[in-house]
Amino acid sequence: MIGDAFTLVLLDPMINFLVILNNIFFGSFGLALIAFTVIIRLITFPLTRRQLHQSRAMQTVQPRMAEINKKYSDPKRRQEEMMKLYREAGVNPLGCLGPMLLQFPILIALFYAIRQTLPESPEALEALSAHLYQWTYIQHAVPINEFFLGIDLKLAPNEASSYLSPAWLFVVLVGATTWLQTKTTVTTVTDERARAQQQMMAYMMPIMFAFFALSFPTGVSLYWTINSLIQIGFNIVTYGLPALKIEPLLKSPAPAMAPALAARSAQPQSVAQPAPEPRTPNGPGRSKRQNRRRRPE
Amino acid sequence: MNNPRFFAVGLLLALFVVTSAACGKIRQPEGWASPAVSDSTAYFFADKDRFVAVDLDSAKAVADPKSTTGATLQPLLWQFPSNDQKDQDAYSFKAVYTQPVRDGDTFFMASYDGGLYRINAPDGRGERIATQADIKGKIVAGPAVAGEYLVFGTTEGHLYVVNKNNGQLPVGWGKTGKDLGKGIWAPPLVRNDTIIVATMAGEVRAFGLDGAEQWQKRFTASGAVADLALLGGDSIFVPTLDRKVYILDAATGAQKGKEFVAEDWVWSTPAFAGGVAYFGDFSGKVYALDITTMETKWKPYDAGHRVKATPVLIDGVLVLADRGPVVHFIDAANGTGLNAVPVVNAGTVRAGLTAAGGKAYIATTKGRLFVADPVKRSVVEVGVGGGK
């Protein structure tokens, strides 16, 4: 039932759309995949813009978040203050998830769409007929040429006959572009632990995706690479690239702060500070565990 | 990705994709070679990598101990590779798509993974033919026998001719065959030492055994051509994946009459008699096409499932198996359905049917063999048991 819905709503339209793009782009499935990626990014641009907007907004409230972290040791209270801050600043911490969650169905459908459109066996070609619409323009295109720049787009690198196969290039490209994507996402994290986690993420994500690229059809890796490149472009436009002294091109305004927060931000810190927590024996805003960690041996 | 929780989401996403991908059903090659029947022996693929010979003599049948309907088992005469050969690379093959061609006492067959085999029909001893040809791509098309030569094409679009006895290449054919530019999926035809071959680019061409092009002008269909058949010796049946059927003059390659447009892909060859070609398409429609007028003789019969298998015509009854699989008995004179028998738990039918001794033999993707009787309009399994 779910499988049928997935096929009808996502897989079949995607297969037919890819075949149409293949026809438009001179019978090159690689170019069709690149065009497909660009179109998907254009369609999801409102979500991406919202994500970037939210990321910038998160940056603006980072100092206040650090302050709250420092001030409250009680996790419940800290959470309450954080939520209050988010509400006042008009920030949704999950706002960055939209485009990422959208990648779920697209990636899964694309995996199958490529496997179906570029069949690996005569049986698979026969099965393709069940997915194609009865339009002459589409029917003429079968079978699709699976090669792009000498790379078989339906094969995964680990299925390639040799380690010298150009398909392996995509493992590197997926890893490199994912790493660049992470690095160009500028964030201001004040918490040491969060910074360490972010560092780990910056290296783990590319390795992980490169590992997955080993067993994905090269066409999916091509999609991922182009998708990452576009995201890197968006990141640079939004955040700039401090390492190369590139200023952000897009000066998107941070979300309007609630008047109370704006006023508090404008006032001296001593006035803006919320009511302090009662001082604990461990010091303000510190847990026993935190103190233990900082204490020299 | 400016928050550790996004890392977790990313990880979950990736795991989900990989899990889904791993669970996905990717179709592996199974083969769809038709069974061959001669001298009360049936030769068919009991698995994608096992070719067997079964004695059809009813006197040698034994009762099937598992059957509750009194079905019998026919003795297995041999299998290739045999038990002492099956673990050796020289004898292993993967999926065969064209019926092994019999030449005297020898079967020749080509496997999807690029192997050419010679099998002795009386005892099943076989071997891989060592050839000088550097086979590019996978073999779906062929082989066909042309005198001393075997002719086959590959999915990468190379047409090969090799000596059937020693694998040597004849003069005029390179080590990598003749590159026709696009995949060859239709089994090549041989007519008077002329090789007729079609490509997935829709081209139909003819070559002499010396490699020279034979027709003044090659024929180009509007869609991919995945099958090909010679009708009555002088016409070629050209079905396409964009729903059309063309009839060509086998001597010149010129199109005869207008093309016929079916409802869906036509990836099958027809049964042919009295100037009428009987075939099905992927919409499940079965047509009786008069190849002189290019008009259908009767209103298309609706089989209900995709039709990939070539039907057979026996005593005025068209026997056809669809992908259900359901075996249909159709009156060839007017297209009336006489009976439809579902075949359960046997996979599906893609291999063409074979007519022999007034019956139709049907091989399924699960490696089982059935026999359809057009007189009784019944279908019975030919069980395999005993013997070697």
Side-chain angles (χ1 to χ4, degrees):
Chain A
M1 180 69 183
I2 294 171
D4 289 346
F6 172 77
T7 303
L8 193 71
V9 176
L10 209 57
L11 186 61
D12 285 357
M14 192 180 277
I15 287 174
N16 286 277
F17 187 45
L18 283 169
V19 175
I20 289 171
L21 287 175
N22 175 78
N23 286 357
I24 291 170
F25 287 95
F26 325 106
S28 168
F29 197 69
L31 289 180
L33 273 173
I34 293 170
F36 174 80
T37 316
V38 172
I39 291 167
I40 291 290
R41 290 311 304 239
L42 284 175
I43 292 170
T44 57
F45 183 69
L47 277 173
T48 309
R49 200 172 63 168
R50 187 177 147 79
Q51 177 205 14
L52 294 169
H53 197 61
Q54 291 289 336
S55 300
R56 280 173 65 87
M58 284 291 284
Q59 270 183 272
T60 60
V61 298
Q62 279 289 338
R64 302 270 312 131
M65 285 166 67
E67 228 173 77
I68 291 168
N69 272 332
K70 210 165 150 189
K71 197 155 287 173
Y72 301 103
S73 59
D74 177 22
K76 198 180 163 199
R77 181 76 196 276
R78 195 192 296 164
Q79 189 67 20
E80 280 170 7
E81 289 297 325
M82 286 284 194
M83 291 316 291
K84 201 172 145 194
L85 175 67
Y86 290 149
R87 212 168 31 246
E88 286 178 350
V91 172
N92 178 2
L94 300 178
C96 315
L97 283 179
M100 196 166 219
L101 287 177
L102 201 68
Q103 293 296 338
F104 271 92
I106 293 175
L107 271 181
I108 295 165
L110 191 65
F111 178 91
Y112 286 110
I114 289 173
R115 289 282 198 200
Q116 296 281 356
T117 316
L118 305 176
E120 277 190 276
S121 64
E123 287 83 357
L125 178 61
E126 192 218 7
L128 174 62
S129 71
H131 296 282
L132 293 180
Y133 299 150
Q134 293 293 323
W135 302 340
T136 311
Y137 187 67
I138 290 175
Q139 303 271 331
H140 279 321
V142 177
I144 306 281
N145 180 10
E146 64 267 45
F147 286 94
F148 178 61
L149 303 174
I151 299 171
D152 188 341
L153 293 170
K154 71 174 183 294
L155 277 189
N158 63 7
E159 293 168 336
S161 53
S162 146
Y163 286 110
L164 296 174
S165 163
W168 286 89
L169 178 67
F170 274 97
V171 178
V172 178
L173 282 175
V174 165
T177 52
T178 308
W179 179 77
L180 273 173
Q181 190 184 335
T182 319
K183 294 304 276 186
T184 51
T185 309
V186 179
T187 53
T188 318
V189 179
T190 46
D191 183 53
E192 271 177 42
R193 233 170 9 156
R195 189 180 292 131
Q197 276 175 328
Q198 207 174 56
Q199 284 282 330
M200 186 191 70
M201 183 185 77
Y203 292 103
M204 282 301 291
M205 286 281 277
I207 292 170
M208 195 175 71
F209 277 95
F211 178 73
F212 293 143
L214 283 174
S215 46
F216 278 3
T218 316
V220 176
S221 298
L222 175 65
Y223 166 82
W224 186 260
T225 303
I226 301 297
N227 189 55
S228 296
L229 287 174
I230 294 171
Q231 185 61 45
I232 290 165
F234 280 144
N235 288 349
I236 292 174
V237 165
T238 311
Y239 305 118
L241 196 60
L244 297 176
K245 293 179 181 164
I246 297 173
E247 290 292 312
L249 296 176
L250 190 71
K251 308 280 185 192
S252 72
M257 276 188 186
L261 187 67
R264 214 182 296 164
S265 302
Q267 285 169 358
Q269 283 295 312
S270 57
V271 183
Q273 279 172 6
E277 244 186 347
R279 203 176 170 83
T280 65
N282 310 312
R286 290 235 170 90
S287 65
K288 269 185 185 168
R289 197 167 145 225
Q290 280 172 318
N291 274 353
R292 211 172 26 244
R293 199 181 292 162
R294 283 159 193 246
R295 206 170 290 147
E297 291 293 320
Chain B
M1 288 189 279
N2 55 351
N3 189 312
R5 82 184 63 179
F6 300 146
F7 173 68
V9 171
L11 185 68
L12 280 175
L13 179 150
L15 285 175
F16 186 60
V17 169
V18 169
T19 312
S20 309
C23 297
K25 192 180 170 189
I26 304 299
R27 286 167 208 277
Q28 297 300 322
E30 293 175 328
W32 55 55
S34 306
V37 180
S38 68
D39 303 331
S40 76
T41 303
Y43 306 89
F44 66 102
F45 289 88
D47 211 335
K48 63 182 177 183
D49 55 2
R50 196 162 65 100
F51 188 48
V52 300
V54 173
D55 193 338
L56 295 175
D57 186 348
S58 56
K60 294 177 184 167
V62 293
D64 182 353
K66 290 179 190 166
S67 173
T68 53
T69 56
T72 57
L73 299 173
Q74 299 296 139
L76 175 71
L77 298 174
W78 52 255
Q79 61 179 355
F80 175 78
S82 58
N83 286 336
D84 60 319
Q85 292 176 325
K86 67 182 177 189
D87 293 328
Q88 298 176 46
D89 283 348
Y91 305 103
S92 71
F93 62 89
K94 181 167 80 174
V96 174
Y97 289 90
T98 301
Q99 184 189 48
V101 57
R102 187 158 182 175
D103 185 40
D105 264 353
T106 308
F107 277 111
F108 293 98
M109 68 176 193
S111 67
Y112 189 62
D113 50 349
L116 275 179
Y117 297 85
R118 177 194 299 118
I119 299 159
N120 190 26
D123 62 11
R125 298 301 292 183
E127 60 181 352
R128 195 175 184 135
I129 300 172
T131 172
Q132 295 173 326
D134 178 12
I135 298 169
K136 304 269 183 205
K138 291 155 180 160
I139 305 173
V140 177
V145 171
E148 288 301 299
Y149 302 104
L150 295 177
V151 184
F152 59 95
T154 67
T155 54
E156 278 198 10
H158 292 249
L159 177 68
Y160 293 86
V161 173
V162 301
N163 188 296
K164 67 185 180 190
N165 298 312
N166 53 27
Q168 300 275 317
L169 302 170
V171 177
W173 294 85
K175 211 174 168 187
T176 55
K178 205 168 273 297
D179 186 359
L180 303 190
K182 194 94 177 188
I184 302 168
W185 291 57
L189 306 174
V190 176
R191 176 184 179 266
N192 303 335
D193 287 345
T194 296
I195 301 160
I196 299 163
V197 62
T199 72
M200 292 301 253
E203 287 190 338
V204 185
R205 302 165 70 172
F207 296 95
L209 285 174
D210 56 358
E213 194 123 19
Q214 298 288 296
W215 293 340
Q216 279 197 332
K217 195 179 166 197
R218 66 185 69 156
F219 174 78
T220 306
S222 60
V225 180
D227 229 329
L228 213 51
L230 202 55
L231 305 182
D234 59 357
S235 297
I236 307 168
F237 179 88
V238 183
T240 70
L241 298 191
D242 71 340
R243 303 182 287 152
K244 296 197 180 104
V245 169
Y246 303 85
I247 303 295
L248 308 186
D249 182 328
T252 63
Q255 184 178 345
K256 289 179 171 179
K258 61 183 182 187
E259 70 262 27
F260 172 76
V261 182
E263 283 197 20
D264 210 328
W265 291 17
V266 185
W267 189 348
S268 169
T269 51
F272 184 68
V276 179
Y278 303 88
F279 61 95
D281 71 8
F282 277 17
S283 73
K285 295 286 187 296
V286 182
Y287 307 93
L289 180 70
D290 185 321
I291 66 163
T292 311
T293 61
M294 294 304 279
E295 299 289 339
T296 49
K297 199 171 130 188
W298 29 259
K299 191 181 158 213
Y301 171 88
D302 192 356
H305 299 100
R306 208 179 298 173
V307 179
K308 167 75 188 73
T310 301
V312 291
L313 194 60
I314 302 168
D315 299 332
V317 176
L318 186 69
V319 184
L320 173 135
D322 66 24
R323 291 269 276 104
V326 178
V327 178
H328 302 263
F329 298 90
I330 304 163
D331 187 336
N334 52 28
T336 308
L338 303 172
N339 197 12
V341 182
V343 178
V344 291
N345 298 326
T348 186
V349 179
R350 293 193 187 98
L353 277 59
T354 300
K359 288 175 181 169
Y361 290 86
I362 305 159
T364 73
T365 52
K366 282 194 177 172
R368 287 161 66 182
L369 186 70
F370 292 83
V371 59
D373 187 333
V375 176
K376 293 180 187 167
R377 290 158 200 168
S378 63
V379 179
V380 179
E381 183 169 7
V382 179
V384 181
K388 288 178 195 174

